Amino acid sequence: MPRLTGVKKINIAVFLSGTGSNFKNLIKYSLKKNSKFKIRLAVSNKSNSKGLDYADKYKIDKKIINYLNIKDSEINILNVLKKNKIDVICLAGFMKILTSNFIKRFKGKIINIHPSLLPKYKGLNTHQRVIDNNEMFSGCTVHYVNSKLDSGKIILQKKVKVLKTDTSDKLAKRVLKQEHLLYLKALEKVLTNL
Ligand code: GAR
């Protein structure tokens, strides 16, 4: 059995704005003995993101950015990423759009999870739009981030059946369960190809 002791782990920053269930799931996985990565930093544009509680609980550094000015905010973020020697950025419910300048600095090293089968249903309110359009399937996608919203190269997707009884909340819950599994698989794939 190969031993990973002493092997340098990949440093990850997670960007979030809300509940942070994907963040929590990534942290828990990262703590496993054989995980290739360590979550070094949480970045949020909201000081009251519930997800930041997990940063406190698991003693992960956090940076809150007020986003009053995008350029200054991104300079600020880049500095803290450098300080923490971050290799890869995982967006997990981060509701701000990164500029192409920022993305260039981490080319091919920023990934995002979106709760739809991209390229369908980019943007917000995905679940309600899926239900309104009587789709048979929805799902989730992990993709590389480029300068267009929810448009970078797809890494992995998972389909979820839409039920006749679904409300936006019910569908969101089932999709979120799959997001947690998909994000880990996709991240593993990305890190293997680094
Ligand atoms: C997730 O469903 C994620 O896919 C979505 O926000 C939720 C965050 O949940 N992201 C987007 O809509 C980005 N376009 P979480 O805070 O519990 O991880």
Side-chain angles (χ1 to χ4, degrees):
M1 186 103 153
R3 291 179 61 212
L4 278 176
T5 329
V7 172
K8 195 183 162 292
K9 296 215 175 195
I10 294 163
N11 289 334
I12 288 197
V14 179
F15 288 22
L16 62 133
S17 304
T19 322
S21 70
N22 277 289
F23 176 42
K24 178 184 170 200
N25 186 56
L26 288 166
I27 299 172
K28 285 202 150 177
Y29 185 82
S30 75
L31 296 174
K32 294 193 174 181
K33 212 164 130 209
N34 285 337
S35 123
K36 291 192 178 73
F37 63 92
K38 182 172 189 306
I39 312 268
R40 288 289 302 262
L41 180 71
V43 173
S44 180
N45 59 309
K46 285 188 176 171
S47 58
N48 61 351
S49 303
K50 198 172 159 269
L52 288 174
D53 294 350
Y54 299 119
D56 295 335
K57 180 169 175 197
Y58 290 95
K59 301 200 172 11
I60 293 168
D61 279 356
K62 60 184 178 187
K63 178 81 182 169
I64 294 149
I65 301 287
N66 63 27
Y67 259 87
L68 292 176
N69 172 302
I70 291 197
K71 202 171 161 208
D72 291 347
S73 300
E74 288 193 342
I75 290 173
N76 230 322
I77 299 175
L78 284 168
N79 283 336
V80 77
L81 294 176
K82 196 169 171 194
K83 211 172 94 194
N84 284 279
K85 299 188 167 56
I86 297 302
D87 304 302
V88 170
I89 298 170
C90 292
L91 307 185
F94 185 60
M95 294 307 183
K96 288 285 175 189
I97 294 174
L98 298 169
T99 67
S100 50
N101 249 339
F102 183 97
I103 294 166
K104 262 188 229 151
R105 303 285 288 270
F106 273 82
K107 202 163 181 274
K109 294 188 175 157
I110 311 177
I111 63 175
N112 180 42
I113 187 148
H114 184 75
S116 79
L117 293 174
L118 291 174
K120 285 179 132 182
Y121 302 102
K122 296 173 183 175
L124 299 175
N125 287 323
T126 49
H127 305 299
Q128 192 56 55
R129 287 188 286 139
V130 162
I131 290 170
D132 291 347
N133 286 343
N134 293 315
E135 296 280 4
M136 285 179 68
F137 291 98
S138 187
C140 45
T141 305
V142 178
H143 64 95
Y144 287 103
V145 171
N146 67 11
S147 52
K148 287 192 199 133
L149 181 70
D150 300 327
S151 298
K153 187 174 171 228
I154 290 171
I155 302 161
L156 285 178
Q157 289 189 307
K158 174 77 185 176
K159 263 188 188 178
V160 172
K161 196 167 167 25
V162 180
L163 306 177
K164 284 212 163 49
T165 50
D166 264 339
T167 58
S168 167
D169 282 353
K170 282 184 183 170
L171 180 57
K173 242 187 204 163
R174 286 205 318 287
V175 171
L176 194 59
K177 237 184 187 172
Q178 295 305 320
E179 288 185 39
H180 296 162
L181 301 172
L182 191 74
Y183 216 152
L184 295 176
K185 270 195 198 165
L187 184 56
E188 179 75 28
K189 199 171 163 194
V190 168
L191 299 185
T192 306
N193 294 325
L194 265 191

